[in-house]
Amino acid sequence: MQTGILYACAAYFIWGLLPLYLKALKHVPALEILLHRMIWSLVFLAIILAVKKHWEWLKPALSNRKVILRFVASAGVLSVNWFIYIWAVNAGRVVDASLGYFINPLVNVMFGYFLLHERLRPAQWGAIAVAAAGVLWLTVQAGQLPWIGLMLAASFGTYGLLRKTAPLGALEGLSLETLLLTPFAMAWLSWLIAQGQSGFVNGDVATHWLLIAAGPITAIPLLLFAAGARRIPMSLLGLLQYIGPTLQMGLGVFLWHEPFGTEKLIGFALIWSALVLYTLENLLNARRQRQLTGQNLS
């Protein structure tokens, strides 16, 4: 249990501090950062697979059309999520990006209801209603939908849904996704280099190493998260997941002084209230289930 908590916390801390890394690459276009993230993630994952001598899954996966189509879809959605997040951070919208990961658990609940036909308990409906009120408030105050947060939540929720029923584990799945993405990334990056528009070629040594570091920075937290998720209850994992967006929002407000006035605070407060209601309900329901299981066993 303690090891699982450490793994999960480490993953969420890395994700929470990711804007610091992306800000260091602000001079590189978001699209090129995305391309390097794909390529160097594959390199890093290939090294891990080689060290573990864990290749036996690859041939059956590549020969299965349904598996390939599923991972083409998840890779595409993951790319959209990565690009929006990179763009938002370097456009000075870290607080708006953090909103997406605050509301992501509630988006997952809605996906479960509409797509997996899961039943929702009254308190879960209440949490969704309060969160919707927060989004509506932010929309009215800003004069537009908080599209960055909504797109990040929707894309990551869709990615989670696709991976939920995928036949491969975290390491194998991410490896296959990056393997499918890398040919396109290499072709696009080659075009940028030919046009003299590559931040990697035109950058200094620090830029080179920062872009290469995109591989481990992408893969390590995902692997830590997978390791943590196997060792601790989902209810506890659900509590720990707020470490990431809380750190992101803190960086946006206190380090980069992004706008966070009373109007935005009210919207976020409604969403935080929805998360508190959702989390408490989940904890109480898990406790009831354990008590019922204990009674049945006795």
Side-chain angles (χ1 to χ4, degrees):
M1 175 75 80
Q2 291 180 343
T3 303
I5 292 172
L6 288 175
Y7 283 150
C9 285
Y12 287 124
F13 267 101
I14 294 172
W15 280 327
L17 299 177
L18 185 60
L20 292 171
Y21 165 75
L22 295 174
K23 286 287 189 181
L25 285 169
K26 191 174 182 179
H27 56 289
V28 179
L31 177 59
E32 186 173 357
I33 297 174
L34 174 64
L35 300 178
H36 282 280
R37 197 171 184 182
M38 296 172 183
I39 295 166
W40 296 112
S41 292
L42 179 60
V43 172
F44 182 76
L45 291 166
I47 292 171
I48 293 176
L49 290 170
V51 170
K52 297 179 69 173
K53 297 180 180 178
H54 183 48
W55 300 103
E56 69 281 355
W57 61 272
L58 185 57
K59 186 176 179 180
L62 291 175
S63 60
N64 189 318
R65 184 171 177 270
K66 289 184 178 180
V67 171
I68 292 296
L69 289 176
R70 180 178 292 275
F71 278 91
V72 165
S74 66
V77 173
L78 185 61
S79 299
V80 171
N81 180 270
W82 282 355
F83 177 77
I84 293 172
Y85 186 78
I86 294 166
W87 177 88
V89 170
N90 286 341
R93 308 286 293 274
V94 177
V95 172
D96 293 336
S98 72
L99 174 67
Y101 296 102
F102 277 122
I103 64 176
N104 179 247
L106 299 177
V107 170
N108 290 339
V109 171
M110 292 301 294
F111 280 1
Y113 176 76
F114 286 109
L115 301 177
L116 301 179
H117 308 293
E118 296 176 353
R119 295 181 62 184
L120 298 188
R121 298 180 292 273
Q124 291 177 312
W125 279 116
I128 291 169
V130 175
V135 172
L136 179 61
W137 172 267
L138 292 171
T139 300
V140 171
Q141 293 302 313
Q144 62 177 3
L145 279 170
W147 66 271
I148 293 174
L150 292 176
M151 286 290 290
L152 286 172
S155 58
F156 200 70
T158 303
Y159 176 72
L161 186 66
L162 289 169
R163 289 299 305 272
K164 182 180 177 68
T165 55
L168 297 178
L171 173 61
E172 298 85 357
L174 185 61
S175 299
L176 182 56
E177 286 165 350
T178 53
L179 179 63
L180 294 170
L181 291 169
T182 293
F184 301 99
M186 290 290 290
W188 206 322
L189 190 58
S190 298
W191 183 84
L192 290 176
I193 292 172
Q195 297 296 313
Q197 299 176 12
S198 169
F200 184 85
V201 172
N202 299 327
D204 55 16
V205 174
T207 300
H208 296 166
W209 283 110
L210 282 169
L211 288 170
I212 291 171
I217 287 173
T218 297
I220 288 173
L222 284 167
L223 298 176
L224 286 170
F225 170 79
R230 287 195 297 268
R231 290 171 168 83
I232 62 177
M234 288 302 295
S235 56
L236 179 55
L237 194 67
L239 285 174
L240 296 176
Q241 72 182 324
Y242 301 121
I243 292 172
T246 301
L247 287 173
Q248 292 168 17
M249 191 187 72
L251 289 172
V253 174
F254 298 111
L255 182 59
W256 296 306
H257 307 291
E258 293 184 14
F260 195 72
T262 304
E263 293 81 7
K264 185 170 282 190
L265 177 60
I266 292 172
F268 269 74
L270 285 168
I271 291 164
W272 292 331
S273 299
L275 292 174
V276 170
L277 175 60
Y278 168 77
T279 302
L280 288 176
E281 196 278 340
N282 268 2
L283 291 173
L284 291 172
N285 184 66
R287 183 179 179 182
R288 284 195 296 269
Q289 293 299 323
R290 286 196 300 271
Q291 289 175 344
L292 288 174
T293 301
Q295 290 173 0
N296 290 335
L297 290 174
S298 62

